Amino acid sequence: MRLSVIGCGYLGAVHAAAMASIGHEVVGIDVDERKIASLAAGEAPFFEPGLSEILSEGIASGRLSFSTDFAAAAGAAVHFVGVGTPQVKGGYAADLTYVNAAVDALLPHLSEGDIVAGKSTVPVGTAASLAPRVSATGATLVWNPEFLREGFAVQDTVDPDRLVAGVPAGDEGERATQVLREVYHPSIAKGTPFIVTDYATAELVKVSANAFLATKISFINAMAEIAEVAGADVTMLADAIGHDARIGRRFLGAGIGFGGGCLPKDIRAFSARAEELGRGESVAFLREVDEINMRRRERAVQLVQDGLGGELFGKKVTVLGAAFKPYSDDIRDSPGLDVAVRLHGLGASVTLTDPEAIENARRQHPHLTYVADRDEALTGADAVILVTEWDEYRRELSPEHAASLTAGRVVVDGRNAFDPAAWRAAGWTYYGMGRP
Ligand code: UDX
């Protein structure tokens, strides 16, 4: 099928390349000329495992192209809209500027019977408000939320755990459903659940899934806060409750909390939208989820300070990680980077290292010191804090080797990813998050 993908960021670029990889003819469109030039040359403009490979393959096969011209969308049967919906400046709501702009720019190039499939995460009610503009061209709007995780985006797009489509009622909706079934045929044939709903449900599936995940992380971080005063170990607690199949161990990793381009802004936008709908109280707990999450960053800073005898000023602190999670170079709302900035603000001399995210971090915080080489970054440190659990740190850094480089022996494990016994045995004072 011929497809267009509007917006070539973390979501759209992967979607375009993944759709080409399953046999479709795809054009990716974005207003950012540099991004399009890079994608057209087969180079991923950000770090995402497997993306460069499917980009090059798609371009070589002739099925994948990129353009800054919306006219290139003409002739496609389905137009995916995957532009960003960031948090508005000075508020909690989602900024729909890019969604509106993308749909408006697309309208002149739509034909009778085309499908416009919204993939961006939007406040419930957005699709219903956009639908008349799309229908006026003879096309049909559907909402087809995306659940990909950064770092696993290619795999999650080619082989998702479910597909959700919010469609209009009646024949129009049925026809649109058939077209989406064709697009996603390889996944559906493998048994991926394909759930067809109305617009509002589809929009809510996405935000409620992210709200649930954020709540799960903040739940375990709240237990970490209790464990800290009770002398318990939150990681053992998580293992134990995780054996209950109703609870499950995934997303019970206590530490410095969640970040990234989705969870933080999505729970805030959800709260703002619920307020608008007169049901703010229904998701009032999300404020608490957010606050617990932010408190963990303070706690991590406090642990570094405690480890250094209460004084950060003039102390050399090495921060392992900058990305909001491993296998990504994304630093949007990165808790680790925030911890680094706070330590710097309190007078510490902070050195950051990260296998992929240094350039992005440097652009946002040019005043911090960045060192690409892990061992060089560790050399002479008074304290070390792990904020992103890359294998380079979690698996490949032995406490003995680290101790041979640093000046001090204080380690704060912001992701509970190290073995406390091994670090202590190597002479370190080990601080975990919610561990004795
Ligand atoms: C998330 C959702 O998982 C995905 O379905 C949605 O489409 C987009 O948002 P992503 O932002 O890529 O994906 O990251 P995710 O793997 O969910 O991690 C989010 C944050 O939570 C990271 O900062 C991670 O470090 C943190 N996290 C995750 C924890 O602190 N503890 C955990 O147990 C799991």
Side-chain angles (χ1 to χ4, degrees):
M1 294 175 78
R2 284 185 68 184
L3 312 176
S4 81
V5 178
I6 315 299
C8 290
Y10 285 96
L11 192 171
V14 173
H15 193 69
M19 290 299 105
S21 81
I22 61 171
H24 297 302
E25 194 183 311
V26 188
V27 58
I29 299 172
D30 199 293
V31 293
D32 183 336
E33 285 180 13
R34 274 181 45 200
K35 202 180 277 176
I36 289 299
S38 155
L39 287 164
E43 286 159 22
F46 48 85
F47 176 77
E48 183 62 50
L51 178 58
S52 292
E53 289 80 350
I54 58 169
L55 269 177
S56 317
E57 281 164 25
I59 291 165
S61 73
R63 285 196 306 275
L64 180 62
S65 61
F66 291 93
S67 176
T68 52
D69 183 0
F70 277 74
V78 183
H79 309 269
F80 290 98
V81 177
V83 294
T85 52
Q87 193 174 328
V88 289
K89 287 196 173 68
Y92 264 19
D95 182 351
L96 294 177
T97 310
Y98 304 111
V99 172
N100 281 312
V103 170
D104 285 338
L106 185 59
L107 290 177
H109 309 291
L110 295 176
S111 308
E112 184 83 29
D114 283 7
I115 307 289
V116 176
K119 293 202 83 63
S120 306
T121 302
V122 291
V124 59
T126 303
S129 74
L130 290 171
R133 274 145 72 189
V134 174
S135 297
T137 66
T140 298
L141 180 70
V142 302
W143 216 263
N144 173 218
E146 181 56 62
F147 304 102
L148 64 80
R149 297 160 299 164
E150 285 177 29
F152 302 91
V154 172
Q155 177 194 323
D156 284 353
T157 307
V158 175
D159 198 8
D161 50 16
R162 80 289 210 189
L163 290 157
V164 175
V167 306
D171 291 347
E172 192 189 3
E174 259 169 46
R175 205 191 69 80
T177 305
Q178 279 318 315
V179 176
L180 280 187
R181 279 186 178 281
E182 258 178 76
V183 172
Y184 294 119
H185 174 72
S187 300
I188 295 172
K190 271 193 272 177
T192 303
F194 181 65
I195 300 153
V196 180
T197 69
D198 52 87
Y199 288 151
T201 306
E203 290 164 327
L204 273 177
V205 167
K206 171 68 194 201
V207 283
S208 61
N210 278 355
F212 190 90
L213 294 172
T215 304
K216 201 170 176 191
I217 298 168
S218 277
F219 173 84
I220 203 64
N221 279 328
M223 296 308 106
E225 291 186 332
I226 304 295
E228 275 153 16
V229 288
D233 186 330
V234 75
T235 61
M236 294 170 86
L237 181 146
D239 290 344
I241 64 172
H243 283 300
D244 184 330
R246 294 169 302 175
I247 296 174
R249 181 63 174 83
R250 292 176 74 190
F251 271 68
L252 286 183
I256 57 167
F258 59 80
C262 292
L263 300 191
K265 68 130 172 111
D266 286 355
I267 60 168
R268 291 172 192 155
F270 196 6
S271 297
R273 184 63 183 140
E275 295 274 353
E276 285 170 12
L277 294 170
R279 283 286 181 276
E281 70 272 25
S282 304
V283 292
F285 66 91
L286 291 178
R287 295 285 166 109
E288 212 62 53
V289 164
D290 207 347
E291 278 173 23
I292 293 165
N293 194 50
M294 299 309 283
R295 281 206 297 272
R296 300 318 285 162
R297 303 177 183 188
E298 278 165 37
R299 172 73 184 167
V301 170
Q302 186 65 51
L303 287 175
V304 177
Q305 191 161 10
D306 290 354
L308 291 170
E311 186 58 85
L312 282 168
F313 200 86
K315 294 286 169 59
K316 186 167 185 275
V317 180
T318 296
V319 179
L320 298 175
F324 84 106
K325 68 171 192 182
Y327 316 111
S328 173
D329 65 357
D330 195 350
I331 53 144
R332 288 176 296 170
D333 217 332
S334 164
L337 196 49
D338 188 21
V339 166
V341 170
R342 289 174 194 229
L343 288 166
H344 173 84
L346 291 167
S349 161
V350 176
T351 300
L352 277 111
T353 185
D354 189 288
E356 296 294 339
I358 285 183
E359 287 321 312
N360 285 342
R362 196 200 306 274
R363 229 170 284 132
Q364 194 169 319
H365 299 288
H367 54 286
L368 299 176
T369 304
Y370 299 92
V371 172
D373 183 75
R374 182 198 69 189
D375 287 2
E376 195 186 325
L378 285 167
T379 302
D382 296 307
V384 177
I385 175 166
L386 175 77
V387 296
T388 316
E389 67 278 30
W390 288 98
D391 284 344
E392 282 86 340
Y393 315 138
R394 188 171 57 134
R395 293 188 199 281
E396 293 156 22
L397 176 62
S398 81
E400 292 79 15
H401 178 64
S404 74
L405 301 168
T406 56
R409 301 281 181 279
V410 173
V411 63
V412 176
D413 182 359
R415 295 292 184 181
N416 289 339
F418 290 146
D419 174 5
W423 283 76
R424 288 188 177 124
W428 290 83
T429 305
Y430 170 95
Y431 296 86
M433 304 289 296
R435 307 173 100 173

